[in-house]
Amino acid sequence: MVRGSTRPTSRDVAQAAGVSQAAVSLVLGDKWRGRVSQATAERVREAARDLGYRPNLAARNLRLGRTRTVLLVVPALTTEFFAGVYTGAARIAAEHGFGVVLYPSPEGIGPARDPFASAQSALDGVIASSMAADALTAIRGEALPLVMLDSDPDGSLGAATVNLDIADGVRQAAEHLLSLGHRHFLHLAADVPSWTFEVRARELAARLSAVPGTSMRTARAPISIEGAQAATQAALSEPDVRPTAVICDDDKLAAGAYKAARRLGLHIPDDLSVTGLDDLALATAIDPELTTVRLDAELFGERGMRALLAVLEGHEPESGDIPVQLVVRSSTAPPR
């Protein structure tokens, strides 16, 4: 082990591992696959750990023309879903020597101030949710290697698009309620202009219209408990046949629907079944616990980061939507 004030070098690592300095650069730069063996890579990493060697990232990045920094653009940090996306993205980034900077662009407020004097000189790439796509122009993020999350793959701004299978999630929720015997529905839709919410509305309408005798009304609300409560209360108070099931675009909207039901003297699930979408911690905090579609936010972030790394290396990102799963709890039952 190198002691004292002398900082270990890549030559020291190479000598300790019994390999060339080029092999050390390949392994510690994560470019060894197909060039050196797994055993050699492990030997180099072990030698680097034993010596306490740290690559000069500033010099390497200057040589490569990279900052090894990625921007993750999300609509807001007020929901744990995007915290999960960040956690997954940051985990994969760290494995490859990258850092992730969060750029929140809250819906209804507009893009946050550009945090960079020049995004193109400060960043290697961008991962952005379609809900925060407007923020890209504020930082010229569309001019960088870009991966879009939750976006229309046919009209995406990005070099790659990563999606959860939201359409299947909506179908699972609808099938569950139909199988219980529900035929009159309220769609509590997020009042946000975004591809992901358009998909939910389209898939729900298509699935329900295929079953004779069904009816559906739509109420739009901001993604807030208060807004959802007001919209649900107004919709359930309308004349004509009252819905027996509410399908919500989001768990927060479902919590608002719960409050509206109580205000109207309705019991869940006896008088009204409710489903959500996300499976936030909120879903098991409310009573009765919410039937909802589980979205794996961390896996979503991981896939987004892997896709961006593939784009940066000139490789083809992994294809296919990320599966989602309906979690049946106590908020749904056959209609009276």
Side-chain angles (χ1 to χ4, degrees):
M1 172 133 184
V2 177
R3 304 276 183 187
S5 59
T6 304
R7 179 176 175 171
T9 66
S10 62
R11 179 177 293 179
D12 297 326
V13 176
Q15 289 176 346
V19 299
S20 67
Q21 279 184 264
V24 171
S25 296
L26 287 172
V27 172
L28 298 184
D30 200 31
K31 296 182 181 297
W32 60 271
R33 292 171 182 79
R35 300 183 184 183
V36 302
S37 68
Q38 177 91 33
T40 297
E42 288 295 334
R43 199 161 68 247
V44 169
R45 283 193 285 261
E46 184 178 354
R49 282 194 300 270
D50 289 346
L51 292 170
Y53 173 72
R54 295 290 183 273
N56 186 336
L57 292 178
R60 184 178 70 177
N61 293 342
L62 184 63
R63 184 172 68 253
L64 295 175
R66 284 189 175 179
T67 65
R68 303 190 80 77
T69 302
V70 170
L71 190 69
L72 175 61
V73 185
V74 298
L77 297 180
T78 53
T79 169
E80 73 203 59
F81 179 79
F82 290 107
V85 172
Y86 170 79
T87 299
R91 179 164 51 240
I92 300 303
E95 291 175 4
H96 293 81
F98 279 74
V100 178
V101 176
L102 266 175
Y103 180 95
S105 176
E107 188 272 326
I109 298 175
R113 184 177 61 83
D114 184 354
F116 306 104
S118 171
Q120 286 175 280
S121 63
L123 301 168
D124 281 339
V126 178
I127 303 171
S129 160
S130 66
M131 291 174 65
D134 289 346
L136 293 174
T137 55
I139 59 166
R140 290 189 55 76
E142 76 278 10
L144 288 159
L146 172 65
V147 168
M148 293 298 296
L149 305 179
D150 231 9
S151 301
D152 184 353
D154 295 327
S156 175
L157 297 169
T161 304
V162 177
N163 283 324
L164 295 152
D165 198 347
I166 292 293
D168 185 55
V170 171
R171 285 192 292 268
Q172 289 182 46
E175 291 288 353
H176 170 64
L177 291 169
L178 288 167
S179 70
L180 291 173
H182 291 278
R183 293 297 181 267
H184 303 292
F185 298 86
L186 171 64
H187 178 206
L188 187 55
D191 193 12
V192 178
S194 173
W195 174 84
T196 185
F197 294 119
E198 293 170 4
V199 167
R200 297 170 208 212
R202 185 170 61 245
E203 290 299 324
L204 181 58
R207 181 64 195 95
L208 297 184
S209 65
V211 179
T214 60
S215 66
M216 183 181 75
R217 65 181 67 162
T218 299
R220 299 190 177 279
I223 302 180
S224 71
I225 293 175
E226 296 76 16
Q229 177 185 335
T232 306
Q233 201 164 325
L236 293 178
S237 300
E238 291 179 7
D240 206 358
V241 179
R242 190 177 69 210
T244 61
V246 184
I247 299 180
C248 304
D249 275 355
D250 174 273
D251 288 354
K252 270 191 177 180
L253 298 181
Y258 272 48
K259 294 187 75 171
R262 289 195 180 97
R263 289 283 179 89
L264 295 170
L266 301 174
H267 297 280
I268 298 171
D270 298 335
D271 302 310
L272 192 69
S273 286
V274 180
T275 66
L277 201 149
D278 269 345
D279 199 23
L280 305 177
L282 176 66
T284 53
I286 55 181
D287 186 32
E289 294 188 356
L290 180 66
T291 294
T292 187
V293 177
R294 178 175 294 160
L295 309 180
D296 193 331
E298 289 193 22
L299 179 58
F300 198 23
E302 288 181 7
R303 281 277 299 272
M305 190 67 219
R306 290 188 192 279
L308 182 57
L309 291 171
V311 169
L312 291 173
E313 296 296 333
H315 301 151
E316 191 69 27
E318 182 181 351
S319 61
D321 292 346
I322 298 170
V324 302
Q325 177 188 3
L326 179 71
V327 180
V328 177
R329 298 193 178 101
S330 305
S331 67
T332 50
R336 282 184 174 176

